[in-house]
């Protein structure tokens, strides 16, 4: 069996625009084990925020006033983590994928070819719960929880959920 290596990723946005990333979180999994979790605050363009987004994640313009720009953060993520791993896992992957794609397009950055896995989609196929939010799934499956809607914690919860889904699917086969 091939070793299980992937990066769980999560983005928080400052406004309703997908290219307004204000926080990036990743959780690196090598050989089926969580090896590192990191997050970066990012200064969105003009450091502009919507009230509703701030209410959701608690990140404010003050928090990102001196934070690096998305190109700086993405450059570090790509150079450090995407050299040998090209599978990204996210809870509601279409959202995170569109944030990444719209941001790299906005800043005219290169994006390597990536394979995406969605824990929301897979959880809906695996568990008969009426709710499939990341918080609910972590509670139901006894996955350690961090601070919801903070990118590093959400990325790690997503990584642990993906590992659990794969385990539960193997156990049922």
């Amino acid at each position: 069996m091939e070793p299980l290596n992937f990066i769980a990723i999560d983005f928080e946005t400052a406004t309703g625009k997908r290219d307004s990333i204000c926080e990036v979180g990743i959780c690196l999994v090598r050989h089926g084990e969580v090896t590192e979790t990191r997050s970066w605050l990012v200064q969105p363009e003009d450091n502009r925020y919507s009230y509703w987004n701030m209410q959701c994640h608690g990140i404010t313009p003050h928090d990102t006033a001196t934070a690096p720009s998305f190109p700086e953060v993405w450059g570090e993520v790509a150079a450090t983590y995407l050299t040998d791993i090209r599978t990204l896992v996210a809870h509601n992957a279409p959202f995170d994928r569109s944030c990444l794609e719209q941001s790299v397009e906005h800043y005219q950055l290169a994006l390597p070819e990536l394979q995406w896995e969605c824990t929301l989609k897979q959880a809906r196929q695996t568990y008969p719960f009426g709710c499939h939010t990341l918080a609910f799934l972590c509670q139901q499956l006894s996955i350690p929880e961090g601070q919801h809607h903070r990118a590093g914690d959400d990325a790690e919860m997503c990584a642990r959920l993906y590992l659990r889904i794969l385990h539960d699917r193997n156990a049922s086969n």
Side-chain angles (χ1 to χ4, degrees), residues 3-101:
L4 182 59
N5 299 316
F6 65 89
I7 297 168
I9 194 162
D10 185 70
F11 297 107
E12 299 299 331
T13 57
T15 69
K17 293 180 66 175
R18 301 281 170 96
D19 64 359
S20 69
I21 292 172
C22 62
E23 190 175 34
V24 176
I26 63 161
C27 181
L28 180 64
V29 174
R30 290 195 181 275
H31 304 287
E33 298 290 329
V34 170
T35 61
E36 183 180 358
T37 300
R38 286 206 51 198
S39 65
W40 297 259
L41 287 172
V42 176
Q43 186 179 106
E45 197 165 54
D46 299 326
N47 208 28
R48 184 179 29 236
Y49 282 77
S50 79
Y51 171 81
W52 298 110
N53 290 60
M54 288 188 293
Q55 289 299 111
C56 181
H57 50 57
I59 302 168
T60 68
H62 176 75
D63 298 321
T64 57
T66 60
S69 67
F70 179 79
E72 293 173 85
V73 171
W74 185 248
E76 181 180 346
V77 171
T80 306
Y81 300 98
L82 294 178
T83 56
D84 62 333
I85 297 176
R86 295 293 174 90
T87 300
L88 297 183
V89 176
H91 197 73
N92 191 15
F95 172 81
D96 294 284
R97 184 176 186 166
S98 69
C99 288
L100 180 56
E101 289 174 348

Side-chain angles (χ1 to χ4, degrees), residues 8 35 50 71 79 84 90 101 116 128 132 137 148-149 154 168:
T35 61
S50 79
D84 62 333
E101 289 174 348
W116 287 84
H132 292 91
L137 290 165
H148 292 287
H149 296 295
D154 280 354
D168 290 351

Side-chain angles (χ1 to χ4, degrees), residues 100-114:
L100 180 56
E101 289 174 348
Q102 288 182 33
S103 293
V104 297
E105 181 180 324
H106 177 83
Y107 292 103
Q108 300 177 351
L109 305 172
L111 184 63
E113 189 170 323
L114 301 167

